[in-house]
Amino acid sequence: MLTKSSHSQGGKGVTDLKSALQNIFGETLLDSKDDFLQTFSSDGNYIRSIISSGEVLQHPLTNGHDGASTLSGKATSDLEVVRMVMDNPDAGSLYSRLVPLVLLLVDGSNPIDVTDSGWELYVLTQKKDLEHEDVQSRLLGFSAIYRFYHYPDSTRLRLGQILVLPPYQSKGHGRHLLEVIHNVAISEDVYDFTVEEPLDAFQHVRTCLDVQRLLGFEPIKEALNSTVLYLKQGRLSKKTHVPRFVPPSSAAEDVRRVLKINKTQLTQCWEILIYLSLDPIDKYVDDFEMIVSHRVKEEILGKDGGSGGKQVIEVPSEYKEDMSFVMFKTKDGKPSSVELDEDQTKQQEEQLKQLVDERLNVIKSVAQKVQLQV
């Protein structure tokens, strides 16, 4: 598997491909076709064998809490999730084979430290019955979870990596794996479950799952009913002040304690829960969009909008025009002496509108998916 070296005839920029791939695949890289084909027979039972030292985890048919039961509604009897802690040598050996998939298929990902026993590997497999042979396990995907200490006597779970192999994506397997991890967080009564820098596609699946769990959770039902009742009283455009709609702190604490959903994720779900509860939505859509717009503007510019708080001003730069700006915040919330010209004001309004539209699209997309699964 060697290409022409950069100093040989053949052109500029050609490199030693084997050396480059060696950095990714390590000892698993083979440059012989015969050796590669041989692995299909010699390593046919590798997955089944190596995960045998791990702990088989049950899918949450029920866990005793409202709103936390299984939500996929699909047959999962042939799927199995096995947990392997990194102090198990088999876990490190398996992950070393998975590293190339992580580097090639997950943007911006880096290998985990297999010598750190805080890492746990959750391996999703599908049992495959072969004629005249034992059951084999087909690897569908995996997730790497880090277990943090939380003072004084608890732990927190943080998802660092999750990958469903391309042939098995869009079949509900990622959701199945996530449901099992949620069940672990609840059954082991960790402090909460978080995700490190989730990609949009994963965040969509995660939010769909969490919204369904929250819809059946009694403390959220009560808080949601109060918010929806307020919104149905009249048009917000006639009010002098648009309140920011956030879940009550007591409900947020109940959600963290029981469902292990942290406050940041609950906030992401809250507007979707409101959207689903405003029935018919067409009657209240203007007020709902105003809520989202007000919240986005407040987060970007501060509570005082454009007169005080935060402001974004474009500045000349040789680097990149559309990324050249300065954000500042006025002292004590007093009005700013820096004024935006007409073009800057218009551009700022367009950017805010784009952010609002993107958020509304996410809300509607998740809501539609949840409604189909209820």
PDB file of all heavy atoms in Angstrom, residues 245-281:
ATOM      1  N   PHE A 245     -39.605  32.842  29.201  1.00  0.00           N
ATOM      2  CA  PHE A 245     -40.240  31.623  29.686  1.00  0.00           C
ATOM      3  C   PHE A 245     -39.187  30.549  29.909  1.00  0.00           C
ATOM      4  O   PHE A 245     -38.610  30.019  28.948  1.00  0.00           O
ATOM      5  CB  PHE A 245     -41.301  31.150  28.692  1.00  0.00           C
ATOM      6  CG  PHE A 245     -42.460  32.099  28.577  1.00  0.00           C
ATOM      7  CD1 PHE A 245     -42.451  33.121  27.637  1.00  0.00           C
ATOM      8  CD2 PHE A 245     -43.546  31.987  29.434  1.00  0.00           C
ATOM      9  CE1 PHE A 245     -43.515  34.005  27.536  1.00  0.00           C
ATOM     10  CE2 PHE A 245     -44.615  32.869  29.335  1.00  0.00           C
ATOM     11  CZ  PHE A 245     -44.594  33.877  28.394  1.00  0.00           C
ATOM     12  N   VAL A 246     -38.939  30.233  31.164  1.00  0.00           N
ATOM     13  CA  VAL A 246     -37.962  29.210  31.534  1.00  0.00           C
ATOM     14  C   VAL A 246     -38.614  28.273  32.541  1.00  0.00           C
ATOM     15  O   VAL A 246     -39.536  28.663  33.266  1.00  0.00           O
ATOM     16  CB  VAL A 246     -36.690  29.832  32.149  1.00  0.00           C
ATOM     17  CG1 VAL A 246     -35.942  30.668  31.124  1.00  0.00           C
ATOM     18  CG2 VAL A 246     -37.030  30.674  33.378  1.00  0.00           C
ATOM     19  N   PRO A 247     -38.156  27.031  32.614  1.00  0.00           N
ATOM     20  CA  PRO A 247     -38.738  26.105  33.596  1.00  0.00           C
ATOM     21  C   PRO A 247     -38.419  26.547  35.018  1.00  0.00           C
ATOM     22  O   PRO A 247     -37.313  27.047  35.280  1.00  0.00           O
ATOM     23  CB  PRO A 247     -38.055  24.773  33.266  1.00  0.00           C
ATOM     24  CG  PRO A 247     -36.812  25.141  32.520  1.00  0.00           C
ATOM     25  CD  PRO A 247     -37.133  26.398  31.782  1.00  0.00           C
ATOM     26  N   PRO A 248     -39.351  26.410  35.944  1.00  0.00           N
ATOM     27  CA  PRO A 248     -39.096  26.772  37.342  1.00  0.00           C
ATOM     28  C   PRO A 248     -37.904  25.996  37.896  1.00  0.00           C
ATOM     29  O   PRO A 248     -37.664  24.845  37.515  1.00  0.00           O
ATOM     30  CB  PRO A 248     -40.393  26.369  38.052  1.00  0.00           C
ATOM     31  CG  PRO A 248     -41.425  26.268  36.978  1.00  0.00           C
ATOM     32  CD  PRO A 248     -40.701  25.857  35.745  1.00  0.00           C
ATOM     33  N   SER A 249     -37.152  26.621  38.779  1.00  0.00           N
ATOM     34  CA  SER A 249     -35.958  25.990  39.334  1.00  0.00           C
ATOM     35  C   SER A 249     -36.292  24.691  40.067  1.00  0.00           C
ATOM     36  O   SER A 249     -35.512  23.733  40.038  1.00  0.00           O
ATOM     37  CB  SER A 249     -35.236  26.952  40.281  1.00  0.00           C
ATOM     38  OG  SER A 249     -36.102  27.380  41.318  1.00  0.00           O
ATOM     39  N   SER A 250     -37.459  24.650  40.719  1.00  0.00           N
ATOM     40  CA  SER A 250     -37.843  23.420  41.440  1.00  0.00           C
ATOM     41  C   SER A 250     -38.082  22.270  40.468  1.00  0.00           C
ATOM     42  O   SER A 250     -37.677  21.121  40.717  1.00  0.00           O
ATOM     43  CB  SER A 250     -39.106  23.668  42.270  1.00  0.00           C
ATOM     44  OG  SER A 250     -40.183  24.088  41.449  1.00  0.00           O
ATOM     45  N   ALA A 251     -38.718  22.575  39.321  1.00  0.00           N
ATOM     46  CA  ALA A 251     -38.959  21.546  38.307  1.00  0.00           C
ATOM     47  C   ALA A 251     -37.647  21.113  37.669  1.00  0.00           C
ATOM     48  O   ALA A 251     -37.436  19.922  37.396  1.00  0.00           O
ATOM     49  CB  ALA A 251     -39.918  22.073  37.245  1.00  0.00           C
ATOM     50  N   ALA A 252     -36.750  22.067  37.439  1.00  0.00           N
ATOM     51  CA  ALA A 252     -35.440  21.749  36.860  1.00  0.00           C
ATOM     52  C   ALA A 252     -34.656  20.817  37.777  1.00  0.00           C
ATOM     53  O   ALA A 252     -33.978  19.888  37.306  1.00  0.00           O
ATOM     54  CB  ALA A 252     -34.653  23.031  36.607  1.00  0.00           C
ATOM     55  N   GLU A 253     -34.757  21.043  39.072  1.00  0.00           N
ATOM     56  CA  GLU A 253     -34.057  20.184  40.025  1.00  0.00           C
ATOM     57  C   GLU A 253     -34.671  18.783  40.049  1.00  0.00           C
ATOM     58  O   GLU A 253     -33.951  17.775  40.133  1.00  0.00           O
ATOM     59  CB  GLU A 253     -34.099  20.808  41.421  1.00  0.00           C
ATOM     60  CG  GLU A 253     -33.491  19.956  42.527  1.00  0.00           C
ATOM     61  CD  GLU A 253     -32.034  19.603  42.295  1.00  0.00           C
ATOM     62  OE1 GLU A 253     -31.356  20.291  41.506  1.00  0.00           O
ATOM     63  OE2 GLU A 253     -31.563  18.609  42.886  1.00  0.00           O
ATOM     64  N   ASP A 254     -35.999  18.701  39.967  1.00  0.00           N
ATOM     65  CA  ASP A 254     -36.658  17.392  39.911  1.00  0.00           C
ATOM     66  C   ASP A 254     -36.233  16.623  38.658  1.00  0.00           C
ATOM     67  O   ASP A 254     -36.016  15.400  38.704  1.00  0.00           O
ATOM     68  CB  ASP A 254     -38.181  17.556  39.920  1.00  0.00           C
ATOM     69  CG  ASP A 254     -38.717  17.962  41.282  1.00  0.00           C
ATOM     70  OD1 ASP A 254     -38.041  17.687  42.293  1.00  0.00           O
ATOM     71  OD2 ASP A 254     -39.802  18.577  41.338  1.00  0.00           O
ATOM     72  N   VAL A 255     -36.123  17.332  37.545  1.00  0.00           N
ATOM     73  CA  VAL A 255     -35.712  16.706  36.289  1.00  0.00           C
ATOM     74  C   VAL A 255     -34.283  16.166  36.402  1.00  0.00           C
ATOM     75  O   VAL A 255     -33.990  15.049  35.981  1.00  0.00           O
ATOM     76  CB  VAL A 255     -35.813  17.713  35.124  1.00  0.00           C
ATOM     77  CG1 VAL A 255     -35.096  17.190  33.884  1.00  0.00           C
ATOM     78  CG2 VAL A 255     -37.273  17.999  34.799  1.00  0.00           C
ATOM     79  N   ARG A 256     -33.404  16.956  36.994  1.00  0.00           N
ATOM     80  CA  ARG A 256     -32.013  16.497  37.169  1.00  0.00           C
ATOM     81  C   ARG A 256     -31.952  15.301  38.111  1.00  0.00           C
ATOM     82  O   ARG A 256     -31.249  14.319  37.852  1.00  0.00           O
ATOM     83  CB  ARG A 256     -31.142  17.628  37.721  1.00  0.00           C
ATOM     84  CG  ARG A 256     -29.664  17.224  37.880  1.00  0.00           C
ATOM     85  CD  ARG A 256     -28.977  17.973  38.984  1.00  0.00           C
ATOM     86  NE  ARG A 256     -29.598  17.779  40.302  1.00  0.00           N
ATOM     87  CZ  ARG A 256     -29.440  16.683  41.033  1.00  0.00           C
ATOM     88  NH1 ARG A 256     -28.721  15.665  40.594  1.00  0.00           N
ATOM     89  NH2 ARG A 256     -30.024  16.584  42.225  1.00  0.00           N
ATOM     90  N   ARG A 257     -32.706  15.372  39.199  1.00  0.00           N
ATOM     91  CA  ARG A 257     -32.642  14.338  40.225  1.00  0.00           C
ATOM     92  C   ARG A 257     -33.217  13.012  39.740  1.00  0.00           C
ATOM     93  O   ARG A 257     -32.664  11.950  40.022  1.00  0.00           O
ATOM     94  CB  ARG A 257     -33.395  14.809  41.479  1.00  0.00           C
ATOM     95  CG  ARG A 257     -33.397  13.831  42.627  1.00  0.00           C
ATOM     96  CD  ARG A 257     -34.078  14.434  43.837  1.00  0.00           C
ATOM     97  NE  ARG A 257     -35.402  14.951  43.520  1.00  0.00           N
ATOM     98  CZ  ARG A 257     -36.504  14.180  43.444  1.00  0.00           C
ATOM     99  NH1 ARG A 257     -36.419  12.883  43.681  1.00  0.00           N
ATOM    100  NH2 ARG A 257     -37.676  14.720  43.157  1.00  0.00           N
ATOM    101  N   VAL A 258     -34.317  13.063  38.982  1.00  0.00           N
ATOM    102  CA  VAL A 258     -35.012  11.836  38.581  1.00  0.00           C
ATOM    103  C   VAL A 258     -34.601  11.371  37.187  1.00  0.00           C
ATOM    104  O   VAL A 258     -34.251  10.207  36.985  1.00  0.00           O
ATOM    105  CB  VAL A 258     -36.538  12.040  38.646  1.00  0.00           C
ATOM    106  CG1 VAL A 258     -37.262  10.777  38.161  1.00  0.00           C
ATOM    107  CG2 VAL A 258     -36.968  12.389  40.061  1.00  0.00           C
ATOM    108  N   LEU A 259     -34.638  12.266  36.206  1.00  0.00           N
ATOM    109  CA  LEU A 259     -34.344  11.888  34.823  1.00  0.00           C
ATOM    110  C   LEU A 259     -32.881  12.083  34.445  1.00  0.00           C
ATOM    111  O   LEU A 259     -32.463  11.667  33.367  1.00  0.00           O
ATOM    112  CB  LEU A 259     -35.234  12.688  33.859  1.00  0.00           C
ATOM    113  CG  LEU A 259     -36.735  12.505  34.016  1.00  0.00           C
ATOM    114  CD1 LEU A 259     -37.475  13.311  32.946  1.00  0.00           C
ATOM    115  CD2 LEU A 259     -37.124  11.038  33.943  1.00  0.00           C
ATOM    116  N   LYS A 260     -32.110  12.769  35.305  1.00  0.00           N
ATOM    117  CA  LYS A 260     -30.677  13.016  35.092  1.00  0.00           C
ATOM    118  C   LYS A 260     -30.407  13.923  33.897  1.00  0.00           C
ATOM    119  O   LYS A 260     -29.319  13.902  33.314  1.00  0.00           O
ATOM    120  CB  LYS A 260     -29.911  11.681  34.925  1.00  0.00           C
ATOM    121  CG  LYS A 260     -30.195  10.674  36.036  1.00  0.00           C
ATOM    122  CD  LYS A 260     -29.967  11.274  37.421  1.00  0.00           C
ATOM    123  CE  LYS A 260     -30.323  10.304  38.534  1.00  0.00           C
ATOM    124  NZ  LYS A 260     -30.200  10.892  39.879  1.00  0.00           N
ATOM    125  N   ILE A 261     -31.399  14.739  33.528  1.00  0.00           N
ATOM    126  CA  ILE A 261     -31.233  15.740  32.462  1.00  0.00           C
ATOM    127  C   ILE A 261     -30.768  17.034  33.110  1.00  0.00           C
ATOM    128  O   ILE A 261     -31.434  17.557  34.002  1.00  0.00           O
ATOM    129  CB  ILE A 261     -32.566  15.970  31.710  1.00  0.00           C
ATOM    130  CG1 ILE A 261     -33.038  14.671  31.063  1.00  0.00           C
ATOM    131  CG2 ILE A 261     -32.406  17.067  30.668  1.00  0.00           C
ATOM    132  CD1 ILE A 261     -34.417  14.773  30.423  1.00  0.00           C
ATOM    133  N   ASN A 262     -29.640  17.578  32.661  1.00  0.00           N
ATOM    134  CA  ASN A 262     -29.124  18.788  33.305  1.00  0.00           C
ATOM    135  C   ASN A 262     -29.892  20.028  32.834  1.00  0.00           C
ATOM    136  O   ASN A 262     -30.681  19.984  31.888  1.00  0.00           O
ATOM    137  CB  ASN A 262     -27.618  18.939  33.077  1.00  0.00           C
ATOM    138  CG  ASN A 262     -27.271  19.248  31.634  1.00  0.00           C
ATOM    139  OD1 ASN A 262     -28.107  19.145  30.743  1.00  0.00           O
ATOM    140  ND2 ASN A 262     -26.040  19.625  31.389  1.00  0.00           N
ATOM    141  N   LYS A 263     -29.658  21.134  33.502  1.00  0.00           N
ATOM    142  CA  LYS A 263     -30.431  22.359  33.260  1.00  0.00           C
ATOM    143  C   LYS A 263     -30.256  22.881  31.844  1.00  0.00           C
ATOM    144  O   LYS A 263     -31.209  23.372  31.227  1.00  0.00           O
ATOM    145  CB  LYS A 263     -30.025  23.434  34.276  1.00  0.00           C
ATOM    146  CG  LYS A 263     -30.896  24.682  34.217  1.00  0.00           C
ATOM    147  CD  LYS A 263     -30.525  25.659  35.322  1.00  0.00           C
ATOM    148  CE  LYS A 263     -31.417  26.894  35.263  1.00  0.00           C
ATOM    149  NZ  LYS A 263     -31.077  27.859  36.344  1.00  0.00           N
ATOM    150  N   THR A 264     -29.036  22.786  31.310  1.00  0.00           N
ATOM    151  CA  THR A 264     -28.778  23.273  29.949  1.00  0.00           C
ATOM    152  C   THR A 264     -29.630  22.519  28.929  1.00  0.00           C
ATOM    153  O   THR A 264     -30.247  23.127  28.046  1.00  0.00           O
ATOM    154  CB  THR A 264     -27.294  23.120  29.597  1.00  0.00           C
ATOM    155  OG1 THR A 264     -26.508  23.887  30.519  1.00  0.00           O
ATOM    156  CG2 THR A 264     -27.013  23.609  28.180  1.00  0.00           C
ATOM    157  N   GLN A 265     -29.677  21.203  29.046  1.00  0.00           N
ATOM    158  CA  GLN A 265     -30.470  20.402  28.119  1.00  0.00           C
ATOM    159  C   GLN A 265     -31.959  20.622  28.332  1.00  0.00           C
ATOM    160  O   GLN A 265     -32.733  20.671  27.366  1.00  0.00           O
ATOM    161  CB  GLN A 265     -30.110  18.922  28.260  1.00  0.00           C
ATOM    162  CG  GLN A 265     -30.944  17.975  27.418  1.00  0.00           C
ATOM    163  CD  GLN A 265     -30.766  18.155  25.926  1.00  0.00           C
ATOM    164  OE1 GLN A 265     -29.969  18.982  25.481  1.00  0.00           O
ATOM    165  NE2 GLN A 265     -31.511  17.404  25.148  1.00  0.00           N
ATOM    166  N   LEU A 266     -32.388  20.789  29.573  1.00  0.00           N
ATOM    167  CA  LEU A 266     -33.796  21.072  29.852  1.00  0.00           C
ATOM    168  C   LEU A 266     -34.218  22.380  29.189  1.00  0.00           C
ATOM    169  O   LEU A 266     -35.309  22.482  28.616  1.00  0.00           O
ATOM    170  CB  LEU A 266     -34.040  21.135  31.360  1.00  0.00           C
ATOM    171  CG  LEU A 266     -35.449  21.561  31.796  1.00  0.00           C
ATOM    172  CD1 LEU A 266     -36.507  20.634  31.228  1.00  0.00           C
ATOM    173  CD2 LEU A 266     -35.542  21.629  33.319  1.00  0.00           C
ATOM    174  N   THR A 267     -33.344  23.380  29.253  1.00  0.00           N
ATOM    175  CA  THR A 267     -33.642  24.667  28.613  1.00  0.00           C
ATOM    176  C   THR A 267     -33.802  24.504  27.107  1.00  0.00           C
ATOM    177  O   THR A 267     -34.653  25.141  26.479  1.00  0.00           O
ATOM    178  CB  THR A 267     -32.529  25.681  28.924  1.00  0.00           C
ATOM    179  OG1 THR A 267     -32.416  25.827  30.354  1.00  0.00           O
ATOM    180  CG2 THR A 267     -32.832  27.047  28.318  1.00  0.00           C
ATOM    181  N   GLN A 268     -32.960  23.644  26.501  1.00  0.00           N
ATOM    182  CA  GLN A 268     -33.074  23.366  25.071  1.00  0.00           C
ATOM    183  C   GLN A 268     -34.428  22.740  24.736  1.00  0.00           C
ATOM    184  O   GLN A 268     -34.998  22.987  23.675  1.00  0.00           O
ATOM    185  CB  GLN A 268     -31.955  22.413  24.636  1.00  0.00           C
ATOM    186  CG  GLN A 268     -30.574  23.024  24.555  1.00  0.00           C
ATOM    187  CD  GLN A 268     -30.444  23.959  23.359  1.00  0.00           C
ATOM    188  OE1 GLN A 268     -30.871  23.646  22.246  1.00  0.00           O
ATOM    189  NE2 GLN A 268     -29.854  25.117  23.599  1.00  0.00           N
ATOM    190  N   CYS A 269     -34.927  21.924  25.649  1.00  0.00           N
ATOM    191  CA  CYS A 269     -36.186  21.210  25.413  1.00  0.00           C
ATOM    192  C   CYS A 269     -37.417  22.051  25.737  1.00  0.00           C
ATOM    193  O   CYS A 269     -38.509  21.765  25.229  1.00  0.00           O
ATOM    194  CB  CYS A 269     -36.228  19.933  26.258  1.00  0.00           C
ATOM    195  SG  CYS A 269     -34.943  18.718  25.870  1.00  0.00           S
ATOM    196  N   TRP A 270     -37.262  23.070  26.575  1.00  0.00           N
ATOM    197  CA  TRP A 270     -38.415  23.776  27.126  1.00  0.00           C
ATOM    198  C   TRP A 270     -39.271  24.435  26.043  1.00  0.00           C
ATOM    199  O   TRP A 270     -40.501  24.319  26.052  1.00  0.00           O
ATOM    200  CB  TRP A 270     -37.942  24.796  28.153  1.00  0.00           C
ATOM    201  CG  TRP A 270     -39.060  25.455  28.923  1.00  0.00           C
ATOM    202  CD1 TRP A 270     -39.423  26.767  28.875  1.00  0.00           C
ATOM    203  CD2 TRP A 270     -39.951  24.837  29.847  1.00  0.00           C
ATOM    204  NE1 TRP A 270     -40.485  27.001  29.722  1.00  0.00           N
ATOM    205  CE2 TRP A 270     -40.825  25.822  30.323  1.00  0.00           C
ATOM    206  CE3 TRP A 270     -40.085  23.520  30.313  1.00  0.00           C
ATOM    207  CZ2 TRP A 270     -41.828  25.544  31.239  1.00  0.00           C
ATOM    208  CZ3 TRP A 270     -41.091  23.249  31.232  1.00  0.00           C
ATOM    209  CH2 TRP A 270     -41.948  24.253  31.679  1.00  0.00           C
ATOM    210  N   GLU A 271     -38.641  25.147  25.118  1.00  0.00           N
ATOM    211  CA  GLU A 271     -39.409  25.806  24.059  1.00  0.00           C
ATOM    212  C   GLU A 271     -40.137  24.777  23.191  1.00  0.00           C
ATOM    213  O   GLU A 271     -41.244  25.050  22.698  1.00  0.00           O
ATOM    214  CB  GLU A 271     -38.493  26.679  23.204  1.00  0.00           C
ATOM    215  CG  GLU A 271     -38.004  27.929  23.925  1.00  0.00           C
ATOM    216  CD  GLU A 271     -36.974  28.717  23.135  1.00  0.00           C
ATOM    217  OE1 GLU A 271     -36.357  28.149  22.212  1.00  0.00           O
ATOM    218  OE2 GLU A 271     -36.779  29.901  23.445  1.00  0.00           O
ATOM    219  N   ILE A 272     -39.538  23.615  22.994  1.00  0.00           N
ATOM    220  CA  ILE A 272     -40.194  22.566  22.214  1.00  0.00           C
ATOM    221  C   ILE A 272     -41.410  22.031  22.962  1.00  0.00           C
ATOM    222  O   ILE A 272     -42.461  21.768  22.366  1.00  0.00           O
ATOM    223  CB  ILE A 272     -39.194  21.429  21.914  1.00  0.00           C
ATOM    224  CG1 ILE A 272     -37.985  21.982  21.171  1.00  0.00           C
ATOM    225  CG2 ILE A 272     -39.865  20.316  21.095  1.00  0.00           C
ATOM    226  CD1 ILE A 272     -36.832  21.009  21.031  1.00  0.00           C
ATOM    227  N   LEU A 273     -41.281  21.887  24.264  1.00  0.00           N
ATOM    228  CA  LEU A 273     -42.407  21.445  25.082  1.00  0.00           C
ATOM    229  C   LEU A 273     -43.558  22.450  25.016  1.00  0.00           C
ATOM    230  O   LEU A 273     -44.731  22.064  24.936  1.00  0.00           O
ATOM    231  CB  LEU A 273     -41.955  21.256  26.528  1.00  0.00           C
ATOM    232  CG  LEU A 273     -40.974  20.109  26.785  1.00  0.00           C
ATOM    233  CD1 LEU A 273     -40.371  20.223  28.181  1.00  0.00           C
ATOM    234  CD2 LEU A 273     -41.672  18.759  26.621  1.00  0.00           C
ATOM    235  N   ILE A 274     -43.232  23.741  25.050  1.00  0.00           N
ATOM    236  CA  ILE A 274     -44.262  24.780  24.929  1.00  0.00           C
ATOM    237  C   ILE A 274     -44.942  24.684  23.564  1.00  0.00           C
ATOM    238  O   ILE A 274     -46.170  24.729  23.452  1.00  0.00           O
ATOM    239  CB  ILE A 274     -43.646  26.183  25.130  1.00  0.00           C
ATOM    240  CG1 ILE A 274     -43.138  26.346  26.567  1.00  0.00           C
ATOM    241  CG2 ILE A 274     -44.670  27.271  24.800  1.00  0.00           C
ATOM    242  CD1 ILE A 274     -42.400  27.652  26.811  1.00  0.00           C
ATOM    243  N   TYR A 275     -44.141  24.540  22.526  1.00  0.00           N
ATOM    244  CA  TYR A 275     -44.663  24.452  21.156  1.00  0.00           C
ATOM    245  C   TYR A 275     -45.647  23.284  21.027  1.00  0.00           C
ATOM    246  O   TYR A 275     -46.734  23.420  20.433  1.00  0.00           O
ATOM    247  CB  TYR A 275     -43.495  24.279  20.183  1.00  0.00           C
ATOM    248  CG  TYR A 275     -43.883  24.199  18.725  1.00  0.00           C
ATOM    249  CD1 TYR A 275     -43.996  25.356  17.954  1.00  0.00           C
ATOM    250  CD2 TYR A 275     -44.122  22.965  18.114  1.00  0.00           C
ATOM    251  CE1 TYR A 275     -44.342  25.284  16.612  1.00  0.00           C
ATOM    252  CE2 TYR A 275     -44.473  22.887  16.780  1.00  0.00           C
ATOM    253  CZ  TYR A 275     -44.583  24.047  16.031  1.00  0.00           C
ATOM    254  OH  TYR A 275     -44.920  23.983  14.697  1.00  0.00           O
ATOM    255  N   LEU A 276     -45.285  22.138  21.582  1.00  0.00           N
ATOM    256  CA  LEU A 276     -46.145  20.960  21.501  1.00  0.00           C
ATOM    257  C   LEU A 276     -47.433  21.124  22.307  1.00  0.00           C
ATOM    258  O   LEU A 276     -48.449  20.488  22.001  1.00  0.00           O
ATOM    259  CB  LEU A 276     -45.382  19.729  22.001  1.00  0.00           C
ATOM    260  CG  LEU A 276     -44.293  19.174  21.075  1.00  0.00           C
ATOM    261  CD1 LEU A 276     -43.413  18.189  21.827  1.00  0.00           C
ATOM    262  CD2 LEU A 276     -44.921  18.512  19.856  1.00  0.00           C
ATOM    263  N   SER A 277     -47.391  21.974  23.329  1.00  0.00           N
ATOM    264  CA  SER A 277     -48.546  22.135  24.224  1.00  0.00           C
ATOM    265  C   SER A 277     -49.503  23.223  23.767  1.00  0.00           C
ATOM    266  O   SER A 277     -50.627  23.316  24.289  1.00  0.00           O
ATOM    267  CB  SER A 277     -48.062  22.455  25.644  1.00  0.00           C
ATOM    268  OG  SER A 277     -47.211  21.436  26.129  1.00  0.00           O
ATOM    269  N   LEU A 278     -49.077  24.055  22.817  1.00  0.00           N
ATOM    270  CA  LEU A 278     -49.953  25.119  22.306  1.00  0.00           C
ATOM    271  C   LEU A 278     -50.806  24.551  21.177  1.00  0.00           C
ATOM    272  O   LEU A 278     -50.409  24.501  20.018  1.00  0.00           O
ATOM    273  CB  LEU A 278     -49.114  26.297  21.794  1.00  0.00           C
ATOM    274  CG  LEU A 278     -48.438  27.152  22.865  1.00  0.00           C
ATOM    275  CD1 LEU A 278     -47.494  28.154  22.227  1.00  0.00           C
ATOM    276  CD2 LEU A 278     -49.479  27.878  23.713  1.00  0.00           C
ATOM    277  N   ASP A 279     -51.981  24.096  21.543  1.00  0.00           N
ATOM    278  CA  ASP A 279     -52.857  23.438  20.582  1.00  0.00           C
ATOM    279  C   ASP A 279     -54.174  24.204  20.446  1.00  0.00           C
ATOM    280  O   ASP A 279     -54.853  24.436  21.453  1.00  0.00           O
ATOM    281  CB  ASP A 279     -53.110  21.998  21.040  1.00  0.00           C
ATOM    282  CG  ASP A 279     -53.870  21.177  20.015  1.00  0.00           C
ATOM    283  OD1 ASP A 279     -53.759  21.509  18.820  1.00  0.00           O
ATOM    284  OD2 ASP A 279     -54.546  20.213  20.408  1.00  0.00           O
ATOM    285  N   PRO A 280     -54.521  24.665  19.239  1.00  0.00           N
ATOM    286  CA  PRO A 280     -53.793  24.498  17.977  1.00  0.00           C
ATOM    287  C   PRO A 280     -52.647  25.509  17.865  1.00  0.00           C
ATOM    288  O   PRO A 280     -52.837  26.681  18.193  1.00  0.00           O
ATOM    289  CB  PRO A 280     -54.862  24.735  16.917  1.00  0.00           C
ATOM    290  CG  PRO A 280     -55.812  25.699  17.578  1.00  0.00           C
ATOM    291  CD  PRO A 280     -55.807  25.339  19.031  1.00  0.00           C
ATOM    292  N   ILE A 281     -51.510  25.068  17.384  1.00  0.00           N
ATOM    293  CA  ILE A 281     -50.332  25.933  17.327  1.00  0.00           C
ATOM    294  C   ILE A 281     -50.537  27.110  16.389  1.00  0.00           C
ATOM    295  O   ILE A 281     -50.014  28.202  16.619  1.00  0.00           O
ATOM    296  CB  ILE A 281     -49.084  25.121  16.921  1.00  0.00           C
ATOM    297  CG1 ILE A 281     -47.828  26.005  16.977  1.00  0.00           C
ATOM    298  CG2 ILE A 281     -49.264  24.503  15.558  1.00  0.00           C
ATOM    299  CD1 ILE A 281     -47.527  26.616  18.301  1.00  0.00           C
TER     300      ILE A 281
END
